[in-house]
């Protein structure tokens, strides 16, 4: 099974972390988001991935110079300009010479969904396109997908206003597509698969869906970027993972609760870290409090500082001694 993995977005909701790194190359405990995603695909039978690249494509190439990630062979398709989700799929599928049924995945989704079951159902039905659905509490930030009892899709509403979604089942960002879908996508311009292509296939009666209650989180916001990591620590997806890297240097008086401390990070005396992500080589001074916050690689927090309420520090950002930050983003967005 071949999969196109969409990784060309700007990751704006994760700024400032994504000012220096594409979203899917951000670290999640001990490897990149992309390695987690491709590792999951490999476990379910995907053996070739086409990376659909745009923003900061060089970061991917440098990280995987042998064109291999999580044991899967990679090909790179670099858009000359962002073509949006459907434009990107067409561009990548053509670049890789795909002419058979294939899979498309949003590159920021952490899931235990069995893609093979979606693949099999797609073939049973003889659908033109089949999408996986997952239930969520607030569908307004997703693609909302009502179906009939057999799974035939009745409509596709991308990001409806709060309270107006016809169902809580949303597009899980995993699709099985026939190559004929590519012909529906006008080349050379931005085309959204959610806003244009899927609604057109629905109108022709060719879009089907498979519901799944498997673990599913889109890691594309600060809250969910923390959540996917705490879920791994908490053992929500199997055996609990240790979030503190063996080579992190942590003063014995520091208190670390439900947090990720990545490789090379240093935590000084009496620091208290709760529900937070501390990326590679970050440095945390003594007597600090870091709560529900994210420190990018090489960030430096001065002694006595307090960081709370989803404060985010970008790569190498610095916080002065005794600063008190709640919900701050450093550097600020331009
Ligand atoms: N190559 C390329 N080019 N990739 C892109 C582009 C582009 O122009 N625009 C976005 N992407 C990539 C992003 O990097 C990401 O991996 C994926 O496409 C989806 O974009 P997001 O920005 O994460 O979309 P979303 O989370 O708001 O919504 C999408 O995902 C939801 C599920 O996670 C939609 O598909 C929703 O319908 C869906 O429910
Ligand atoms: Mg997303």
């Amino acid at each position: 099974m071949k999969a196109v993995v969409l990784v060309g977005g700007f990751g704006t909701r994760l700024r400032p972390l994504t000012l220096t790194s594409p979203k899917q190359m951000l670290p999640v405990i001990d490897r990149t988001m992309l390695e987690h995603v491709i590792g999951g695909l490999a476990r379910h039978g995907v053996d070739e991935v086409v990376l659909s690249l745009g923003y900061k494509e060089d970061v991917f190439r440098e990280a995987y110079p042998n064109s291999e990630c999580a044991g899967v062979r990679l090909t790179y398709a670099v858009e000359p300009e962002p073509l949006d989700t459907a434009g990107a799929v067409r561009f990548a599928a053509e670049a890789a010479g795909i002419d058979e049924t294939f899979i498309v995945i949003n590159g920021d989704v952490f899931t235990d969904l069995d893609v093979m079951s979606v693949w099999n159902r797609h073939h049973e039905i003889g659908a033109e396109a089949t999408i996986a659905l997952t239930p969520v509490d607030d569908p307004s930030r997703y693609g909302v997908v009502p179906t009939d009892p057999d799974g035939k899709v009745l409509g596709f509403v991308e990001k409806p206003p709060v309270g107006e979604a016809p169902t809580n089942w949303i597009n899980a960002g995993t699709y099985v597509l026939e190559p004929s879908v590519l012909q529906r996508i006008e080349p050379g311009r931005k085309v959204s698969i959610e806003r244009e292509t899927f609604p057109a296939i629905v109108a022709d009666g060719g879009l089907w869906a498979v519901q799944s209650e498997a673990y599913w989180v889109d890691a594309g916001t600060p809250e969910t970027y923390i959540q996917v990591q705490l879920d791994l620590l908490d053992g929500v997806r199997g055996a609990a993972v240790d979030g503190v890297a063996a080579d992190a240097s942590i003063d014995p008086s520091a208190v670390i609760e439900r947090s990720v401390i990545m490789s090379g990070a240093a935590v000084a005396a009496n620091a208290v870290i709760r529900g937070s992500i501390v990326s590679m080589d970050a440095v945390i001074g003594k007597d600090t409090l870091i709560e529900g916050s994210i420190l990018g690689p090489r960030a430096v927090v001065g002694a006595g500082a307090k960081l709370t309420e989803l404060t985010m520090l970008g790569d190498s950002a610095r916080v002065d001694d005794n600063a008190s930050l709640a919900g701050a983003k450093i550097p600020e967005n331009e």
Side-chain angles (χ1 to χ4, degrees):
M1 295 194 293
K2 281 188 194 172
V4 172
V5 179
L6 296 175
V7 294
F10 293 110
T12 47
R13 287 164 292 190
L14 279 175
R15 283 184 194 157
L17 299 171
T18 46
L19 294 173
T20 46
S21 165
K23 171 164 62 175
Q24 299 82 2
M25 291 301 288
L26 292 174
V28 170
I29 301 193
D30 59 350
R31 63 196 94 152
T32 63
M33 191 182 290
L34 184 69
E35 276 173 68
H36 285 273
V37 170
I38 294 187
L41 292 176
R43 279 194 291 284
H44 289 110
V46 170
D47 51 12
E48 194 181 326
V49 159
V50 185
L51 279 189
S52 165
L53 300 170
Y55 182 60
K56 295 196 185 291
E57 49 98 3
D58 49 310
V59 179
F60 294 89
R61 290 174 186 276
E62 279 163 23
Y64 309 109
N66 303 325
S67 298
E68 201 196 291
C69 176
V72 174
R73 195 155 71 82
L74 295 179
T75 35
Y76 297 112
V78 184
E79 286 157 48
E81 65 206 346
L83 292 171
D84 209 340
T85 43
V89 169
R90 176 168 179 151
F91 182 87
E94 280 182 355
I98 290 178
D99 55 5
E100 290 167 333
T101 312
F102 65 105
I103 295 166
V104 173
I105 306 277
N106 286 344
D108 59 352
V109 169
F110 281 65
T111 183
D112 294 329
L113 172 86
D114 177 6
V115 252
M116 188 65 102
S117 70
V118 185
W119 178 272
N120 291 340
R121 181 81 183 124
H122 173 85
H123 285 102
E124 253 167 56
I125 298 163
E128 182 173 6
T130 304
I131 65 185
L133 307 183
T134 186
V136 294
D137 292 336
D138 174 15
S140 65
R141 44 174 286 238
Y142 303 102
V144 179
V145 187
T147 63
D148 77 6
D150 296 331
K152 186 169 186 175
V153 174
L154 303 174
F156 194 113
V157 199
E158 183 68 11
K159 303 193 173 80
V162 176
E164 289 182 22
T167 167
N168 280 5
W169 288 93
I170 58 109
N171 167 23
T174 300
Y175 324 131
V176 179
L177 305 182
E178 288 306 303
S180 64
V181 171
L182 301 173
Q183 302 316 311
R184 294 174 172 272
I185 303 165
E186 196 183 315
R189 70 162 173 98
K190 280 192 161 97
V191 183
S192 160
I193 202 161
E194 297 87 352
R195 295 177 196 275
E196 291 189 53
T197 316
F198 286 152
I201 304 175
V202 172
D204 292 346
L207 188 63
W208 293 74
V210 175
Q211 296 184 338
S212 166
E213 310 244 12
Y215 179 89
W216 186 92
V217 178
D218 174 330
T221 67
E223 293 87 344
T224 56
Y225 176 65
I226 295 179
Q227 188 197 336
V228 293
Q229 304 192 59
L230 298 191
D231 283 348
L232 289 166
L233 300 191
D234 292 345
V236 172
R237 301 178 66 185
V241 165
D242 183 2
V244 179
D247 69 347
S249 112
I250 295 169
D251 188 276
S253 64
V255 176
I256 315 263
E257 284 174 22
R258 269 186 99 223
S259 293
V260 176
I261 313 287
M262 295 185 197
S263 171
V267 180
N270 299 316
V272 174
I273 305 180
R274 293 196 189 103
S276 293
I277 309 300
V278 177
S279 305
M280 300 82 76
D281 303 317
V283 178
I284 298 179
K286 64 184 166 64
D287 304 320
T288 46
L289 171 68
I290 316 280
E291 205 167 53
S293 293
I294 307 171
L295 276 57
R298 295 165 286 276
V300 179
V301 179
K306 283 191 174 47
L307 275 58
T308 59
E309 293 173 48
L310 278 181
T311 289
M312 293 170 74
L313 304 187
D315 192 326
S316 306
R318 288 177 169 265
V319 171
D320 292 341
D321 289 358
N322 302 314
S324 186
L325 302 176
K329 294 187 196 298
I330 298 178
E332 276 179 62
N333 292 343
E334 266 129 51

